[in-house]
Amino acid sequence: MGPSFLRCFLLLLCVVTFADAGSIGVNYGRIANNLPSAVKVVNLVKSQGLDRVKVYDTDPAVLKALSGSGVKVTVDLPNGLLYSAAKYPAFARSWVQKNVVAYHPSTQIEAIAVGNEVFVDPHNTTKFLIPAMKNIHQALVKFNLHSTIKVSSPIALSALQSSYPSSAGSFRPELIEPVFKPMLDFLRQTGSYLMVNAYPFFAYESNSDVISLDYALFRENPGVVDSGNGLRYHNLFDAQIDAVFAALSTLKYDDVKMVVTETGWPSKGDENEVGASVENAAAYNGNLIRRILTGGGTPLRPQADLTVYLFALFNENEKDGPTSERNYGLFYPDQQKVYDIPFTVEGLKNYKAHNQPPLTGGQQVAAPVRGGVSKSTTGNTWCVANPDAGKERLQAALDFACGEGGADCRPIQPESTCYNPNTLEAHSSFAFNSYYQKKGRGMGDCYFGGAAYVVTQEPKFGQCEFPTGY
């Protein structure tokens, strides 16, 4: 084999590899008062080689600016409109006509996200989700756009009952029959995909004592073997995504594809937001982009080349919450990069990743945490006992929570406000929630060896009130 032939063969191999790889998009949020015009934003996106954008509404200025750009767009029907879209098919048709038909195909709308992280929406819109998705799809059928525009809805990892190990991934049981099975049937029937928001940062932030930074940032590390299937994981992102794949498999929906509609890492945070820094954000996003654009899927789904949307295009100065919420941007509002990473295969050729030597010693690289924490859940989630865990596990977990766990268990003592109903489930739920709230509602704080799980509506046990913060 001659040198010229070898060069041609290697070039062809690279082309095939990258052609079969995933793709990178970006979330264009606009909760800020200092962002550039939509026209400038579209030019910025194109200049970086990005060809997919996800927005959180259907702002006419944005959709017009994207017209003729060649950039594929995912638009959003906000949670606040789910009730109307679910109850009134005429509303769904009007919304599609006004916000999709009016711009497509000059603006290449490829998907509609019906709501966003609906299960953690404090306004209790979950029951409207499936009817809204179906009505929006029927509206697309009416305008003959159903074959080119997909309908789905982004879920947070908190929709998982369990995510560790990945092979044990499962959806929250109270969501399976009313939501997930009909949703997955709909996605299968319409050829759509499950939208998932995944943030390894939240897992690392809450469990930095047991999850190594190298594992969270795609850096060199020994990996961790999944005790359920023997697969070795070298990064937390793959582990989280495979937990969702495992949950799909458990319900017999292996054929439903997935798109990661949000993931990212903040470049700045509060003192207690462990790991939030420019260096770590650059490492996470840079290494993630390399990981996605060079293909290979995940350990559980090696052929599942993913489309991943980075969160977010800009730092957004009007977002509520901790400092990190305002510092997920890849760019400052003046369009300067917060840190220098490439977004294309071409850019990766000369890219030197922001990597550090791997940590040595006995530090663990994964933690027995379940589910994830969505950005939008803070202040609107509670921790309750899992009655299926059995009395022995519940009692042991209750003893821990009220003992060394430091939960405030005074209200569940005899003659106190939350003593009745005097049941193990009620008392455990109050204690678990006290522990969970005191710990800041972090990922893994509502686990107790499988004896508890997170809910998004306030628990009701007699007249007892469950706090949401301390």
Side-chain angles (χ1 to χ4, degrees), residues 215-237:
Y215 186 68
L217 299 180
F218 299 86
R219 298 197 300 221
E220 183 180 351
N221 65 84
V224 59
V225 175
D226 186 310
S227 59
N229 57 24
L231 296 173
R232 184 177 292 273
Y233 287 85
H234 290 280
N235 66 79
L236 186 53
F237 175 85

Side-chain angles (χ1 to χ4, degrees), residues 33-112:
N33 59 14
N34 56 357
L35 299 183
S37 69
V39 171
K40 289 182 178 179
V41 170
V42 172
N43 289 334
L44 174 65
V45 167
K46 291 178 65 178
S47 73
Q48 300 301 314
L50 291 161
D51 61 1
R52 277 193 163 93
V53 165
K54 179 173 163 287
V55 295
Y56 292 88
D57 52 21
T58 51
D59 184 87
V62 173
L63 296 182
K64 288 176 183 176
L66 286 162
S67 177
S69 67
V71 176
K72 297 181 177 67
V73 189
T74 295
V75 299
D76 182 79
L77 182 143
N79 289 359
L81 298 180
L82 284 176
Y83 173 83
S84 297
K87 291 292 185 180
Y88 307 109
F91 175 88
R93 288 194 298 273
S94 175
W95 187 90
V96 167
Q97 185 170 24
K98 178 182 176 182
N99 298 289
V100 178
V101 178
Y103 302 98
H104 187 82
S106 294
T107 299
Q108 294 184 35
I109 299 173
E110 65 173 344
I112 300 171

Side-chain angles (χ1 to χ4, degrees), residues 318-339:
E318 293 189 325
K319 296 195 74 174
D320 295 328
T323 297
S324 63
E325 283 293 304
R326 295 173 288 283
N327 289 278
Y328 274 88
L330 302 165
F331 294 87
Y332 294 109
D334 65 2
Q335 302 182 63
Q336 296 300 306
K337 282 188 174 182
V338 177
Y339 41 85

Side-chain angles (χ1 to χ4, degrees), residues 166-215:
S166 297
S167 58
S170 61
F171 294 117
R172 282 164 39 194
E174 73 274 18
L175 293 174
I176 291 176
E177 293 298 332
V179 184
F180 271 110
K181 283 190 175 179
M183 177 196 284
L184 295 170
D185 281 337
F186 170 84
L187 298 178
R188 173 184 281 166
Q189 291 162 8
T190 61
S192 188
Y193 42 78
L194 182 65
M195 294 177 169
V196 177
N197 296 344
Y199 285 88
F201 168 72
F202 289 117
Y204 174 75
E205 174 198 24
S206 301
N207 301 275
S208 58
D209 56 332
V210 287
I211 298 178
S212 85
L213 191 58
D214 291 327
Y215 186 68

